[in-house]
Amino acid sequence: MPTVAPSIPTTLDTTTIANEGALPLLRLMHLVSPSLPIGAFTYSQGIEWAVESGWIRTADGLEGWLSDQLHRAVAHVDLPLLARMHAAAGANDPAAMDGWIDWLLACRETAELRLEEANRGRALAELLVAWGLLASSEIAPPKPLSPWERGWGEGHCDRMSQGCDFPIPPLPPGEGRGEGGPADIRMWKPVLARSQAAGFAFAAAAWDVPVREALLGYAWGWLENLVLAAVKIIPLGQTQGQQVLRRLTAEIPQLVAGALALNDGEIGASSPALAIASSAHETQYTRLFRS
């Protein structure tokens, strides 16, 4: 029997591609790109001092340092707060976003870490304007919270006991502002300029990036940036750095799942080694990085 070649469509069904989440995925890749002009490459978050002091000397030492931070501060502070920021952006609630930023900054244990958050936040806020996600418009009242969102602070534990894996719902289709219109710059820009995490969450929500995927991308971007910094500082070979990145990347999905399951009262972490390294870096005599 002769074989029949499969038919190949001659036209591209763009609606199907969009429904499969191609554009939100591409937007997320844009957000986590190291080429984003927000200065991420200028920060080492204490690694520069840790290398000079002898705390980190090898690829194994770097992997242990980053794994500790990933499982502590990132998994128990950055990621759960980022999820709440994503929900605040989706609800068009800058007041709630401001409150989550206060919480995040309170968990940044040194002046350098707080300054990094603010400097990158200001740069990202300007980029949001350039992208058309923020623009001058009539100030609209915040979108009313759904019963699901109103229960976030105190009721999601019960929802989880009823079989819910993740307490934050995905942004409904069509709710993103990036493809459908900007948010008001007067309401949002001063808030988002305080924190790069807030700007990231805002852009992700505006571009219909689901919260779980946004957290995965944020954690991976954080990890890649610090691996690249360490490769320059220690120094390490590029291959060694990529091996560290590959191994630690495998831990991210489980940490994101755990972060999405945290109650408000469970958010927080102490990283004494990071705090010491970051504080000492402020007066380090010779340095290439800003933190």
Side-chain angles (χ1 to χ4, degrees), residues 169-182:
L171 195 65
E175 289 294 312
R177 290 181 296 274
E179 313 305 333

Side-chain angles (χ1 to χ4, degrees), residues 236-257:
L236 294 177
Q238 294 287 344
T239 299
Q240 288 178 297
Q242 290 300 313
Q243 288 171 329
V244 170
L245 183 59
R246 181 191 66 83
R247 287 191 292 267
L248 291 180
T249 295
E251 301 177 13
I252 292 176
Q254 183 176 356
L255 295 177
V256 166

Side-chain angles (χ1 to χ4, degrees), residues 209-234:
V209 178
V211 62
R212 177 178 177 272
E213 281 68 24
L215 268 61
L216 289 168
Y218 182 91
W220 190 87
W222 171 88
L223 181 61
E224 183 197 35
N225 183 65
L226 293 186
V227 167
L228 293 177
V231 165
K232 300 171 186 176
I233 298 168
I234 294 177

Side-chain angles (χ1 to χ4, degrees), residues 8-161:
I8 300 176
T10 57
T11 59
L12 186 63
D13 187 347
T14 55
T15 301
T16 300
I17 292 177
N19 290 341
E20 290 176 351
L23 186 55
L25 174 60
L26 291 171
R27 297 299 194 198
L28 179 59
M29 293 168 66
H30 192 174
L31 272 177
V32 303
S33 170
S35 68
L36 212 65
I38 60 173
F41 67 93
T42 64
Y43 298 95
S44 78
Q45 297 187 5
I47 290 177
E48 187 170 30
W49 184 87
V51 170
E52 181 170 305
S53 68
W55 287 10
I56 301 175
R57 297 180 182 272
T58 64
D60 288 342
L62 173 65
E63 185 171 345
W65 177 271
L66 293 177
S67 179
D68 182 72
Q69 290 188 46
L70 192 60
H71 283 260
R72 291 174 181 267
V74 176
H76 289 86
V77 176
D78 292 56
L79 295 182
L81 288 177
L82 188 74
R84 287 155 174 78
M85 292 174 181
H86 188 284
N92 193 27
D93 190 347
M97 179 73 83
D98 210 35
W100 296 125
I101 294 172
D102 286 341
W103 196 323
L104 177 66
L105 294 177
C107 292
R108 295 289 189 248
E109 296 182 274
T110 69
E112 273 197 351
L113 295 175
R114 289 189 293 272
L115 188 61
E116 175 185 349
E117 191 70 31
N119 286 342
R120 293 176 62 187
R122 284 193 296 271
L124 185 50
E126 294 295 337
L127 193 56
L128 294 174
V129 175
W131 282 338
L133 299 183
L134 296 174
S136 297
S137 64
E138 293 297 323
I139 298 180
K143 173 183 172 182
L145 295 179
S146 68
W148 179 269
E149 292 163 330
R150 285 199 300 271
W152 169 251
E154 55 187 355
H156 70 280
C157 296
D158 293 334
R159 292 197 298 273
M160 289 177 61
S161 67

